[in-house]
Amino acid sequence: MLGQQILLPVITCLTNAIWPKNLLRLWCLVVLFIVLMINNLAVANPVQLNASHFADCISRLHTKAREHGISEATVTQVLSKAKFMPRVIELDRRQPEFSQTFADYFNARVSENRVRRGKTLLTKYRRLLDRIAQETGVSSQYLVAFWGLETNYGSYLGKTSVPNALATLACDQRRKIFFTGELLNALRIIDTGDISADHMVGSWAGAMGHMQFMPSTYLRYARDGDGDGRRNLWDSIPDALISAGFFLQQLGWNPGQHWGQEVKLPASFDYALAGRNQSLSLTEWAALGVTAVSGTALPPANQNASLLVPAGHKGPVFLVYENFNVIMDWNRSEFYALTVGHLADRIAGAQVLHRSPPNDSLKLTRKQVRQLQLDLSALNIDVGEIDGIFGPDTRSALSRFQQNTQRIADGYPDLELLNAIRNAAINKSRAQSAAD
């Protein structure tokens, strides 16, 4: 697809032109028509395109696999049987209509049943988990929490043939370089004898085993935890858990350090200080009136922390430490990292959140988010990529608008705020057009 760097100037051109006398608008419409026609041709019917060229692509992958030292037996066994999976392309193209709220995400994953099951498994595998903690520095409750979020403690590992899924994605133009590499890595795993091609199942995107490792992660970090000479992340819980511990250790896990904590803020708190892009020491946060949820002062320390407000000023507030960033190296979602951290706390015996995320949070469609991003950009507030995804960059941009208009700058949207931003963008466009 053509990037926003092409479409946005055209849209801006249309917005700033004057009806009907300005011929610039007609020029903009012509350019937009050409852009859209090219874009449509580039993405037209990608499933049929891939299906018709799949055999040729597999032939090229045969050659590439041999060039990368993968045995002829594995290349022939796996790629000769590779099947095109239109459903995988469909899932790769699918985008959720609504942006998920923190309440929706968090409440669906930190259920009482998942907490109880996590506590049971913490007890059941105590000796194994203690050994892994000693070897890697990753405390037991975190490993169990990752396990719970990735596959609900191994209850669902995925049913898709990983070789077929990766071959399909490697033959698709959207991310062919990445998935070609992952396919070659999957073939290397099969070559080692850790798992057969028929038993290599996982998600539609190629994530595998109890901890949903991609093949590249598997090759670098998977470990033999049960001593049978194989790294089997599907059938061996010791292998899966020690692999997760080693992965986190290599990502930079700090032994003995917590992920973060829920905190309370004073009524006059400046929410512009929130966000992972800025941090203060615990001593500095305490000086600003931030306290533990019990109301007690934070322990004075030089440890740095960032403040996150994932559900606005009416929801829970968290200080997050360096291990939170390590969790985000596993999964680049703040919602995921907060959920892993809290689930780990609950499994270890902590109580529920002091302040639950509000269930009446506004759910935005991707179209609404994209319009919000365009409006903020029109107001000269940087939103990063205009992609319809309400991520940290958009939240930070929203916070800047709130700050500029003397609102609570928590980066959290509501209908009044969206309307205010829309009107401000329209008024600015009209003013620019009048000046022209």
Side-chain angles (χ1 to χ4, degrees):
M1 275 190 168
L2 294 178
Q4 292 292 342
Q5 68 271 24
I6 296 177
L7 289 177
L8 185 56
V10 177
I11 294 171
T12 303
C13 177
L14 285 167
T15 303
N16 293 338
I18 302 174
W19 279 106
K21 62 181 181 180
N22 198 332
L23 293 178
L24 177 63
R25 189 175 191 93
L26 177 60
W27 178 85
C28 291
L29 287 171
V30 172
V31 172
L32 180 59
F33 176 77
I34 294 172
V35 167
L36 292 176
M37 287 296 293
I38 295 173
N39 198 42
N40 287 338
L41 287 173
V43 300
N45 219 353
V47 171
Q48 282 78 356
L49 176 65
N50 285 334
S52 64
H53 292 82
F54 189 65
D56 290 340
C57 175
I58 291 298
S59 179
R60 291 192 296 272
L61 290 172
H62 269 269
T63 301
K64 186 177 288 289
R66 294 188 187 99
E67 291 173 350
H68 281 75
I70 297 166
S71 72
E72 186 65 34
T74 296
V75 172
T76 302
Q77 174 197 7
V78 179
L79 294 184
S80 296
K81 298 178 181 178
K83 296 180 180 178
F84 178 70
M85 302 184 74
R87 176 64 173 163
V88 167
I89 300 297
E90 178 185 338
L91 291 169
D92 185 58
R93 295 289 192 273
R94 178 183 294 174
Q95 296 178 331
E97 180 182 359
F98 289 93
S99 296
Q100 196 170 29
T101 67
F102 180 62
D104 288 343
Y105 185 97
F106 182 87
N107 293 335
R109 289 162 178 81
V110 187
S111 64
E112 290 302 318
N113 181 62
R114 183 164 286 173
V115 171
R116 283 194 300 270
R117 180 66 176 150
K119 290 179 177 179
T120 298
L121 292 170
L122 187 69
T123 300
K124 180 177 180 180
Y125 293 103
R126 172 63 67 184
R127 290 180 60 187
L128 170 65
L129 290 165
D130 285 348
R131 174 169 67 86
I132 296 172
Q134 186 175 7
E135 293 179 8
T136 67
V138 182
S139 299
S140 304
Q141 67 268 26
Y142 292 106
L143 295 175
V144 177
F146 276 103
W147 191 13
L149 256 66
E150 290 296 338
T151 60
N152 197 20
Y153 309 117
S155 65
Y156 187 73
L157 305 184
K159 298 180 179 179
T160 303
S161 164
V162 169
N164 286 343
L166 292 176
T168 297
L169 292 166
C171 291
D172 180 55
Q173 292 300 313
R174 199 171 83 85
R175 289 188 288 170
K176 65 179 298 182
I177 295 175
F178 171 78
F179 283 111
T180 295
E182 291 298 338
L183 174 62
L184 294 175
N185 287 328
L187 295 176
R188 292 187 180 100
I189 294 169
I190 295 169
D191 239 3
T192 66
D194 283 344
I195 194 77
S196 69
D198 291 340
H199 288 87
M200 184 181 274
V201 296
S203 76
W204 63 266
M208 310 178 298
H210 282 264
M211 295 299 187
Q212 293 293 277
F213 279 14
M214 290 297 289
S216 55
T217 305
Y218 184 114
L219 284 174
R220 292 186 65 185
Y221 303 109
R223 291 294 180 268
D224 175 14
D226 56 18
D228 68 351
R230 298 166 58 223
R231 300 170 300 173
N232 186 343
L233 304 191
W234 293 264
D235 304 312
S236 172
I237 289 173
D239 287 8
L241 292 177
I242 197 169
S243 297
F246 182 72
F247 183 28
L248 290 167
Q249 179 193 55
Q250 296 304 304
L251 289 176
W253 190 267
N254 296 282
Q257 186 187 101
H258 206 46
W259 68 273
Q261 65 182 106
E262 186 185 7
V263 294
K264 292 174 64 176
L265 304 178
S268 59
F269 186 79
D270 180 8
Y271 284 87
L273 295 171
R276 288 182 61 240
N277 59 338
Q278 49 194 340
S279 65
L280 299 172
S281 70
L282 289 182
T283 301
E284 291 172 315
W285 286 119
L288 291 170
V290 180
T291 67
V293 291
S294 62
T296 60
L298 297 174
N302 293 325
Q303 179 178 221
N304 280 4
S306 297
L307 188 131
L308 298 183
V309 190
H313 67 281
K314 295 181 181 178
V317 181
F318 302 93
L319 281 180
V320 296
Y321 312 138
E322 186 57 36
N323 278 342
F324 181 87
N325 296 327
V326 175
I327 297 173
M328 287 203 62
D329 285 338
W330 179 302
N331 184 309
R332 301 302 302 171
S333 163
E334 288 185 0
F335 287 5
Y336 178 94
L338 289 168
T339 303
V340 163
H342 182 68
L343 179 59
D345 288 349
R346 293 290 306 281
I347 290 170
Q351 299 300 308
V352 299
L353 290 176
H354 174 75
R355 178 182 285 182
S356 299
N359 288 314
D360 60 350
S361 301
L362 181 64
K363 295 182 180 180
L364 299 177
T365 65
R366 293 182 70 93
K367 183 178 180 180
Q368 287 175 311
V369 175
R370 187 174 288 106
Q371 184 62 60
L372 170 63
Q373 292 169 332
L374 287 168
D375 289 340
L376 288 169
S377 182
L379 295 171
N380 297 321
I381 299 177
D382 183 18
V383 297
E385 184 180 359
I386 297 176
D387 54 7
I389 298 173
F390 194 83
D393 288 343
T394 303
R395 190 180 300 279
S396 178
L398 189 61
S399 175
R400 287 197 293 277
F401 177 87
Q402 292 170 317
Q403 190 175 17
N404 294 342
T405 55
Q406 290 75 54
R407 290 174 166 85
I408 296 176
D410 59 1
Y412 205 70
D414 57 36
L415 285 177
E416 184 277 330
L417 182 60
L418 294 184
N419 289 333
I421 294 170
R422 180 91 274 266
N423 290 333
I426 291 172
N427 290 337
K428 181 177 180 181
S429 174
R430 288 173 176 169
Q432 289 175 337
S433 296
D436 292 339

